[in-house]
Amino acid sequence: MWRYRIGILGGLGPYAHIEFERCLLAALGCPANDQAYPEWIVVSIPHTPDRTEALLGRGPSPIPAILQGLERLASGADFAAITCITAHAFLDEIRARARVPILDMVDLTLAAAQERASGARIGVLATTGALRSGIFSRPRTCRPSGLEVLSLLDLPGGLELQEDLVMRPIYGPLYGGLRRPGGIKSGGDRDPESGIPHRATLTAAVRALADAGASCVITGCTEIPLALGRDPVHGTLLLDPLEVAAHAAIRIARGQLSLP
């Protein structure tokens, strides 16, 4: 039944790869017994340097640590998913140096957005590094055409909105260039100072993009669904790259799709 073994590169952060495993289980439906599940291998590399800091020129490259994890996966997995959207800004270089094929969660999600969204304008909630890298808008031959990608950075007061409604819930409050614990990455469910739930803050971010004309919103940081969930927000469809990639990974593992 199963043709290929799935590899999961995690620790970017740790909650995200656990959520990806939950998405894999959900994508399976109801297997008859333990033996009906696919094989997957997880390698968690939490010491990987922060991807946003690297993209903004404030920290070291995460590529060596990511390649270290992928090399471990190559000994047992037939393909891999990197459970961090911001890391996909480095995907071309990583693919050129890795021994295992790697899913492109961004391309898969944009294709799903074109298929499911009711309009051409798509909202994206993602880290500042991911947005500044252009991974959601960079032309690629395999990407759907006709999509307009909109982020909070494109709105009036975008830098402040991006910090308050996305970066702070994900990473925690910023003081003197350093983040304090309390964000989703550290297991928090609400702002450590205001007490406002992260779900409420991220809901405000979705509404801002919907008010700007987005017909659906991609939750383009793998920690966001942990607080926001996947159900529509006030009628706005949410699209989770982890969920999209999990369904693709199951189909690849069954041999229904080719290796990436």
Side-chain angles (χ1 to χ4, degrees):
M1 177 182 179
W2 299 104
R3 184 173 180 183
Y4 297 116
R5 286 169 292 187
I6 303 166
I8 303 171
L9 182 66
L12 314 173
Y15 287 94
H17 79 251
I18 294 171
E19 186 65 13
F20 182 68
E21 290 183 89
R22 292 193 185 102
C23 289
L24 287 173
L25 292 172
L28 283 167
C30 298
N33 49 46
D34 291 350
Q35 292 72 36
Y37 287 84
E39 291 184 57
W40 65 68
I41 301 168
V42 179
V43 171
S44 182
I45 310 289
H47 66 259
T48 305
D50 186 86
R51 283 64 64 199
T52 287
E53 291 297 295
L55 288 166
L56 297 179
R58 300 196 298 246
S61 171
I63 292 176
I66 290 173
L67 288 173
Q68 174 191 2
L70 291 171
E71 184 62 25
R72 294 179 188 175
L73 286 175
S75 63
D78 296 298
F79 68 100
I82 301 174
T83 56
C84 171
I85 294 297
T86 310
H88 283 63
F90 307 93
L91 187 59
D92 288 343
E93 183 175 351
I94 292 168
R95 276 178 160 173
R97 298 169 61 183
R99 290 196 301 122
V100 61
I102 304 166
L103 285 177
D104 188 329
M105 287 193 185
V106 175
D107 279 359
L108 287 169
T109 306
L110 287 173
Q114 186 170 60
E115 186 177 296
R116 302 181 199 178
S118 59
R121 178 171 283 189
I122 306 299
V124 176
L125 296 179
T127 66
T128 303
L131 296 175
R132 289 275 176 82
S133 75
I135 57 172
F136 286 98
S137 54
R138 190 179 301 151
R140 296 172 76 105
T141 56
C142 58
R143 288 192 176 176
S145 60
L147 287 181
E148 178 187 356
V149 178
L150 179 75
S151 77
L152 294 181
L153 292 177
D154 299 313
L155 305 184
L159 283 173
E160 184 176 353
L161 288 173
Q162 173 69 10
E163 171 57 32
D164 292 344
L165 301 184
V166 180
M167 295 297 283
R168 183 169 174 136
I170 293 171
Y171 286 95
L174 179 64
Y175 289 97
L178 298 175
R179 296 282 177 183
R180 294 184 179 178
I184 305 166
K185 277 185 174 289
S186 59
D189 65 352
R190 61 189 60 241
D191 191 276
E193 295 178 352
S194 69
I196 296 173
H198 296 319
R199 176 179 172 81
T201 304
L202 292 165
T203 293
V206 172
R207 296 192 71 170
L209 292 174
D211 289 345
S215 61
C216 84
V217 171
I218 295 171
T219 53
C221 172
T222 47
E223 274 85 16
I224 289 176
L226 295 170
L228 186 59
R230 298 181 177 88
D231 293 332
V233 172
H234 299 289
T236 302
L237 177 71
L238 300 183
L239 200 54
D240 176 13
L242 283 181
E243 188 174 48
V244 172
H247 281 272
I250 292 300
R251 293 188 67 194
I252 292 169
R254 284 181 170 141
Q256 295 169 342
L257 292 176
S258 60
L259 289 169

